[in-house]
Amino acid sequence: MEIPKHHDWPSTIEEAKAIQENLRYQVITSDQLPETIQYVAGVDMGFLEDGKISRAAVAVLSFPDLQTVETSLAYHPTTFPYIPGFLSFREIPPVLDALEKLKTIPDIILCDGQGIAHPRRLGIASHLGVLLDIPTIGVAKSLLIGEYEELAETKGSWQPLIHKKETIGAVLRTRTGVKPVYVSSGHRISLLTAIEYVLHCTPKYRLPETTRIADKLASAR
């Protein structure tokens, strides 16, 4: 997969924040998808040597049957600390290395993290989507910002995630009686469409199959 030229990676919070403020206006939250979705991908991270080395994993699955088509791993020195709200600067550089190895280009990438459900509306899914110009969805395991009403226990139930009177995502129950996930548009996809794809990609478990497979690769010993 060819990786477009991207911005330089920052060394300070101030530089990182400036990049987010600039890129946030390039995020598209309406549907600009390929006519046919053939492949969905998940990306996840693991760390080695007490966090000094990042291991990025990508899993590409066929759609709609969710069979593994291709996987990729990349190792990269960890160059940015773990700071909530700035996850993409720690994780995207190795993820780009893993994506570059792919022969199968995904039509949608599901990220283990936020899309626009982010203080500056540029979580890792939005950041990655803008850099690649590929539709992306944020599927986070925990809440970063926002408030929501209580949702029903049944699979498919969801409530809007609201921040500063703006709907920034959805709290989605992907499995009956199990904790919800936090879905938000990453890039080139609307929230309602993102919810549909996340539900399709979660036939059995709480997390999308894309994320589950990528996580196993990233955390394997």
Side-chain angles (χ1 to χ4, degrees):
M1 178 178 173
E2 186 174 347
I3 304 299
K5 184 178 179 181
H6 50 75
H7 59 72
D8 294 331
W9 295 101
S11 57
T12 67
I13 292 295
E14 290 73 20
E15 292 172 349
K17 189 176 290 187
I19 290 171
Q20 290 177 336
E21 292 290 355
N22 179 50
L23 293 184
R24 65 182 292 179
Y25 298 106
Q26 299 180 37
V27 174
I28 297 168
T29 55
S30 58
D31 291 328
Q32 294 189 10
L33 304 173
E35 288 187 14
T36 302
I37 304 299
Q38 293 182 290
Y39 303 107
V40 291
V43 298
D44 208 346
M45 293 291 302
F47 295 92
L48 305 171
E49 298 183 17
D50 294 325
K52 294 179 182 178
I53 301 296
S54 301
R55 174 166 55 189
V58 179
V60 182
L61 279 59
S62 56
F63 190 87
D65 56 342
L66 303 178
Q67 299 300 305
T68 303
V69 173
E70 186 179 358
T71 61
S72 174
L73 280 172
Y75 297 82
H76 194 283
T78 305
T79 57
F80 203 85
Y82 173 77
I83 303 172
F86 297 92
L87 186 69
S88 60
F89 298 100
R90 180 178 172 90
E91 298 194 356
I92 286 181
V95 165
L96 292 177
D97 289 348
L99 287 167
E100 193 170 23
K101 296 181 179 181
L102 292 178
K103 296 179 180 179
T104 309
I105 299 176
D107 299 302
I108 301 175
I109 300 176
L110 286 77
C111 296
D112 181 26
Q114 312 291 345
I116 66 165
H118 179 276
R120 287 165 296 283
R121 306 299 186 257
L122 197 90
I124 186 170
S126 297
H127 196 160
L128 184 64
V130 168
L131 291 183
L132 298 175
D133 195 27
I134 286 179
T136 54
I137 302 171
V139 189
K141 296 188 286 288
S142 58
L143 179 69
L144 179 61
I145 59 168
E147 299 178 345
Y148 59 94
E149 301 292 333
E150 185 175 349
L151 66 159
E153 290 289 323
T154 53
K155 175 174 180 172
S157 300
W158 66 276
Q159 287 286 346
L161 181 62
I162 308 296
H163 181 248
K164 295 183 178 179
K165 299 182 179 181
E166 177 186 358
T167 298
I168 58 171
V171 185
L172 174 67
R173 192 87 66 186
T174 54
R175 188 179 179 193
T176 298
V178 172
K179 289 194 302 183
V181 295
Y182 302 87
V183 176
S184 55
S185 301
H187 183 56
R188 289 178 49 185
I189 193 165
S190 68
L191 178 58
L192 292 179
T193 303
I195 290 170
E196 290 177 9
Y197 277 101
V198 172
L199 284 173
H200 188 95
C201 291
T202 50
K204 296 181 180 179
Y205 302 100
R206 178 190 179 214
L207 298 178
E209 291 299 292
T210 45
T211 300
R212 285 180 3 92
I213 295 170
D215 175 70
K216 287 181 180 179
L217 291 168
S219 59
R221 295 293 179 182

